[in-house]
Amino acid sequence: MSAEATNPEAHPEARPELRRRGRTRLDLRRLGRAALLGPTSRDRLPDAIGHVAEAHRAHHPDADLSVLRRAYLLAETSHRGQMRKSGEPYITHPLAVTLILAELGAETTTLTASLLHDTVEDTDVTLDQVGEEFGDEVRFIVDGVTKVEKIDYGAAAEPETFRKMLVATGNDVRVMSIKLADRLHNMRTLGVMRPEKQARIAKVTRDVLIPLAERLGVQALKTELEDLVFAILHPEEYERTRALIAAHAGERDPLPAIADSVRTVLREAGITAEVQVRPRHFVSVHRIARKRGELRGSDFGRILVLVGENADCYAVLGELHTCFTPVVSEFKDFIATPKFNLYQSLHTAVATPDGQVAEVIVRTRQMHRVAEAGVVALGNPYATVPAAPTACTTGTAPTAPPPSAKAAPTGSATGSTAGSVPAADASGGPAAADPYEERVDPTRPGWLSRLLDWQQSAPDPDTFWSVLRAELAQDREITVFRADGGTLGLPAGASCIDAAYAQHGEAAHGCIGARVNGRLTSLSSPLSDGDTVQLLLAQDASSGPAAEWLDHARTPAARIAISSWLEAHPDRAMAPTTAARAPLSVVGARGGGANAVADLPNAPVRLAGCCTPVPPDAVAGFVVRGGAVTVHRVHCAAVTQMRAVGRTSVAVHWRATADCRVTLLAESFGRPHLLADLTEAIAREGVEVVSATVEPPVEQRVRHSYTLQLPDAAGLPALMRAMRNVPGVYDVSRA
């Protein structure tokens, strides 16, 4: 956009895609002169957008270019007289942005909006005029990339602009595609700005735009943005990396010979494939150098194998691992398990007989297009209702359609259509037909839905800005299954707390525990990809999160919700920890061996507390200090220890009476009146409490130990069932 206009010759060495393609760099000054010549004849395109038309027709041979002509004429006349800081006519900027998108394969609507993306912000053109001339879709996209007024928002203008843009992206991913291309051209031409402003723009690009490009799968933009940011923020390391690449250029590169060997192997196997050597970009070389220290000749690039079908990818992999020595630790299958940004490929590394190691990427041509262009490669995702990513034939389509774009959160009021499609024109008249009505966006991933959810709870721009950067720093996503059969998309490292807020929203304040893969676990437990999680909520409406939850919450939605609740309940947030409290004990009359009789006259008999035997358990007795006999169940671990140390074994049997004493352990989640409810349940079964101990809560989990006198041992199963039925109790077992 206009605030970022600079020198077009800045960092030409940081554009590896131009070296790969051999494309001549555009002469923006010549294009600017052509733009100033004004409209050409009505039957042909203006010369200034000839490059755009050529690139667009390469991907869409049947595209109607007349709308591009009209968009260009409106943009050129609107920006006429405006100059970039480098002295070029301003129209060169939307032309360059549109060319970037055309080369990625963007469809006509995206290119139309791209040509017009600065008109509403920097000229007298209004959104209504854009809508009347080009339709509601173009109007919505242009509005999505238009900055909010700095005069209205002051220092919050940049965060609120990104909030508006992201909310609009929730309805139409093409908004962010244009923003990424816009930032790329501004980064290419950043040289005439003051160093401090270059650094500020580069940091925002690094923290927000590059992660967004990665998540949307637009690798072609992401890699060049990384190199340009690298050159600005780390000039010394950038120069060292550039020197490494320059030194390698004068040496013999082993990759072409390895690529020839791969071609021969695949040709002899009857596999039709295209084999390329792909040089690494600057940041990639820098990362490899930091990881390995001294670089090998094959570290400056990778071999790319393109085939026709998915099955051919695995056939290529088999031949490579048969004819070369595979490096097993380098193998990754992103076809069977695609990345969350649509990326699919097979990654491997092979060693040649002379000791060279080459990384190899295997993918179909369609996978390659998606890997380079991401969501841009999907064309117009709203062409049909319901939409399906027909361009993505590699198995990346979601298993279930995401929520309708119409239901996306609206966010704060940062623009006329920031978070919802135009409901009415600027004059307050009736709304135009909504082009987004009932649409299902196949390109909206889980991370974007989460972002749209939590941004509503972050009205403060500073909070939104800091949390957004933290959210985008999460570079991997996992999928966990809910107990009801649904799924949750969470960032790697997320805990049960994050899952609770993702599934239940503010109702998760009452979460008291979770079962992961059927086993009870603490809320702080991290989740892994493919886990099944069942979240347990308290019935007490006064329940709330503990301050310690913030130590284990990873998602912004969870952290914002917990912090808000703690701020609203300062007494609960400052409550002293319960770990220092002593166990609560209730003791009644104690008995001895109850109805156990040892075959040792006059010897006192005690029932072991470790296994609490009751009739009709098979038992064994052992003489201990003082001549007493302790009675254990025969399968108790203590029996083996007694025999190992040579304790005297004594035969034990049960009296004919049915009463018995037993110790039960009740595991529960903490809540008010739990001890009273458990004691009442025991009393209803006609059982006497000999003693009771309640341990201090740990992560809202409480352990109760009861020693009970039963009138009849046969009633033990019913007693344990009655205790388990008390709300909050999840397990009852014998000691």
Side-chain angles (χ1 to χ4, degrees):
M1 294 183 181
S2 57
E4 296 149 6
T6 55
N7 179 12
E9 301 300 326
H11 309 302
E13 70 277 8
R15 298 185 61 199
E17 87 292 350
L18 294 183
R19 296 199 308 271
R20 289 196 299 267
R21 299 175 183 174
R23 180 182 295 277
T24 303
R25 187 179 182 85
L26 290 179
D27 185 347
L28 294 180
R29 293 187 184 276
R30 181 182 64 79
L31 290 180
R33 288 194 297 271
L36 292 176
L37 294 178
T40 60
S41 61
R42 299 182 63 87
D43 60 345
R44 72 185 189 89
L45 288 167
D47 292 339
I49 57 171
H51 292 82
V52 173
E54 177 187 353
H56 188 38
R57 279 282 170 85
H59 293 277
H60 304 277
D62 300 325
D64 179 11
L65 300 181
S66 63
V67 67
L68 292 183
R69 180 184 186 280
R70 291 190 289 114
Y72 168 75
L73 292 178
L74 177 58
E76 190 278 325
T77 55
S78 302
H79 290 296
R80 187 175 297 175
Q82 294 180 348
M83 308 297 286
R84 304 198 84 207
K85 291 188 178 181
S86 58
E88 299 158 352
Y90 192 83
I91 189 62
T92 58
H93 171 66
L95 277 171
V97 172
T98 306
L99 180 61
I100 291 170
L101 292 167
E103 290 179 335
L104 289 175
E107 40 72 55
T108 308
T109 301
T110 303
L111 301 186
T112 303
S114 176
L115 284 168
L116 301 170
H117 79 272
D118 275 344
T119 55
V120 174
E121 181 179 326
D122 294 333
T123 76
D124 293 332
V125 175
T126 66
L127 279 174
D128 288 337
Q129 290 174 323
V130 172
E132 291 170 4
E133 183 69 20
F134 299 98
D136 286 334
E137 288 196 30
V138 173
R139 181 190 195 275
F140 181 81
I141 296 171
V142 170
D143 185 35
V145 296
T146 299
K147 292 179 181 177
V148 301
E149 292 291 342
K150 193 165 187 177
I151 192 172
D152 295 330
Y153 288 90
E158 185 173 39
E160 291 300 338
T161 293
F162 272 96
R163 187 203 295 265
K164 171 188 174 185
M165 202 173 303
L166 288 164
V167 171
T169 299
N171 281 347
D172 196 324
V173 293
R174 294 174 291 185
V175 172
M176 190 54 65
S177 299
I178 294 176
K179 178 57 182 177
L180 291 171
D182 172 77
R183 180 54 61 94
L184 175 57
H185 182 246
N186 285 327
M187 289 295 297
R188 286 176 179 174
T189 58
L190 208 59
V192 299
M193 286 191 171
R194 300 188 308 274
E196 59 270 20
K197 189 165 186 179
Q198 290 186 36
R200 183 186 67 79
I201 294 172
K203 287 177 181 176
V204 173
T205 303
R206 176 197 63 193
D207 295 343
V208 179
L209 274 302
I210 288 176
L212 284 171
E214 167 72 16
R215 289 173 177 235
L216 293 173
V218 194
Q219 296 296 321
L221 303 187
K222 178 224 175 190
T223 54
E224 188 175 352
L225 284 172
E226 281 184 327
D227 284 347
L228 293 167
V229 168
F230 185 40
I232 293 172
L233 297 183
H234 306 283
E236 294 181 359
E237 295 182 33
Y238 174 80
E239 287 300 325
R240 283 197 294 269
T241 304
R242 189 164 68 88
L244 280 173
I245 294 174
H248 170 70
E251 301 174 353
R252 187 185 71 85
D253 188 350
L255 287 178
I258 298 175
D260 287 338
S261 300
V262 171
R263 290 188 191 97
T264 302
V265 166
L266 299 182
R267 185 170 54 250
E268 292 176 352
I271 301 174
T272 302
E274 178 184 351
V275 182
Q276 305 174 6
V277 174
R278 299 261 292 183
R280 292 183 183 273
H281 64 107
F282 279 65
V283 171
S284 180
V285 171
H286 174 67
R287 289 170 179 159
I288 292 293
R290 293 187 62 182
K291 176 181 177 182
R292 297 179 181 168
E294 185 175 353
L295 292 177
R296 303 168 301 202
S298 58
D299 288 335
F300 289 87
R302 292 182 288 190
I303 293 175
L304 174 65
V305 181
L306 299 178
V307 294
E309 303 293 338
N310 288 20
D312 295 335
C313 295
Y314 293 97
V316 169
L317 182 70
E319 293 298 326
L320 291 176
H321 285 188
T322 299
C323 300
F324 301 93
T325 302
V327 181
V328 178
S329 61
E330 297 292 327
F331 173 68
K332 297 181 181 68
D333 187 346
F334 295 119
I335 295 178
T337 55
K339 291 186 178 181
F340 65 90
N341 61 359
L342 307 179
Y343 180 86
Q344 288 186 293
S345 292
L346 295 177
H347 287 215
T348 189
V350 295
T352 61
D354 59 355
Q356 294 287 346
V357 177
E359 291 187 35
V360 184
I361 300 174
V362 185
R363 59 174 72 131
T364 66
R365 290 175 178 82
Q366 176 60 24
M367 291 178 192
H368 180 60
R369 183 166 173 247
V370 173
E372 291 289 296
V375 295
V376 180
L378 299 180
N380 182 358
Y382 314 105
T384 59
V385 180
T390 55
C392 187
T393 59
T394 58
T396 59
T399 56
S404 168
K406 186 65 177 176
T410 60
S412 61
T414 57
S416 60
T417 57
S420 61
V421 294
D425 61 23
S427 62
D434 187 351
Y436 294 83
E437 187 70 40
E438 298 304 324
R439 281 186 173 174
V440 175
D441 186 348
T443 64
R444 182 196 288 184
W447 65 266
L448 181 55
S449 294
R450 292 198 308 272
L451 188 153
L452 294 172
D453 288 339
W454 69 254
Q455 65 85 25
Q456 295 183 95
S457 304
D460 175 32
D462 291 336
T463 301
F464 168 77
W465 197 231
S466 59
V467 174
L468 174 65
R469 295 184 184 204
E471 164 80 357
L472 293 177
Q474 304 285 345
D475 60 355
R476 197 167 64 85
E477 189 168 272
I478 62 173
T479 299
V480 298
F481 296 92
R482 294 164 26 177
D484 60 7
T487 61
L488 296 173
L490 298 169
S495 66
C496 295
I497 294 172
D498 299 303
Y501 283 94
Q503 180 173 348
H504 297 292
E506 291 190 358
H509 292 331
C511 193
I512 55 177
R515 291 184 185 273
V516 177
N517 301 324
R519 300 185 65 179
L520 194 81
T521 187
S522 65
L523 287 174
S524 62
S525 299
L527 297 168
S528 300
D529 198 31
D531 281 347
T532 298
V533 59
Q534 177 187 3
L535 300 161
L536 308 172
L537 301 183
Q539 297 179 348
D540 184 4
S542 65
S543 297
E548 294 79 15
W549 286 19
L550 288 172
D551 297 332
H552 307 289
R554 297 291 179 267
T555 58
R559 296 187 62 82
I560 291 173
I562 295 168
S563 298
S564 299
W565 191 92
L566 293 175
E567 290 175 4
H569 301 79
D571 53 328
R572 297 286 295 273
M574 300 300 295
T577 177
T578 58
R581 293 186 305 182
L584 171 65
S585 297
V586 179
V587 181
R590 295 182 179 271
N595 50 358
V597 179
D599 290 346
L600 188 64
N602 303 320
V605 177
R606 295 201 302 259
L607 300 180
C610 55
C611 58
T612 59
V614 298
D617 292 341
V619 291
F622 295 91
V623 178
V624 295
R625 291 176 185 173
V629 175
T630 59
V631 180
H632 296 262
R633 283 187 277 170
V634 292
H635 298 297
C636 178
V639 171
T640 303
Q641 297 174 356
M642 290 285 191
R643 289 172 176 161
V645 298
R647 295 287 186 185
T648 303
S649 177
V650 178
V652 179
H653 63 275
W654 299 107
R655 288 196 184 98
T657 57
D659 65 314
C660 66
R661 180 170 296 182
V662 64
T663 299
L664 298 180
L665 300 179
E667 304 280 348
S668 63
F669 298 113
R671 64 171 178 83
H673 312 300
L674 178 61
L675 179 62
D677 291 347
L678 268 171
T679 305
E680 182 181 354
I682 293 170
R684 282 199 302 266
E685 297 297 316
V687 176
E688 176 190 353
V689 178
V690 178
S691 66
T693 302
V694 182
E695 299 179 7
V698 177
E699 295 183 342
Q700 289 196 321
R701 296 166 65 182
V702 183
R703 178 169 171 158
H704 303 248
S705 177
Y706 293 93
T707 300
L708 306 171
Q709 186 71 32
L710 277 70
D712 189 345
L716 180 59
L719 170 64
M720 296 174 70
R721 282 195 299 271
M723 294 174 67
R724 289 192 187 103
N725 289 335
V726 174
V729 176
Y730 59 81
D731 194 19
V732 175
S733 61
R734 290 171 63 181

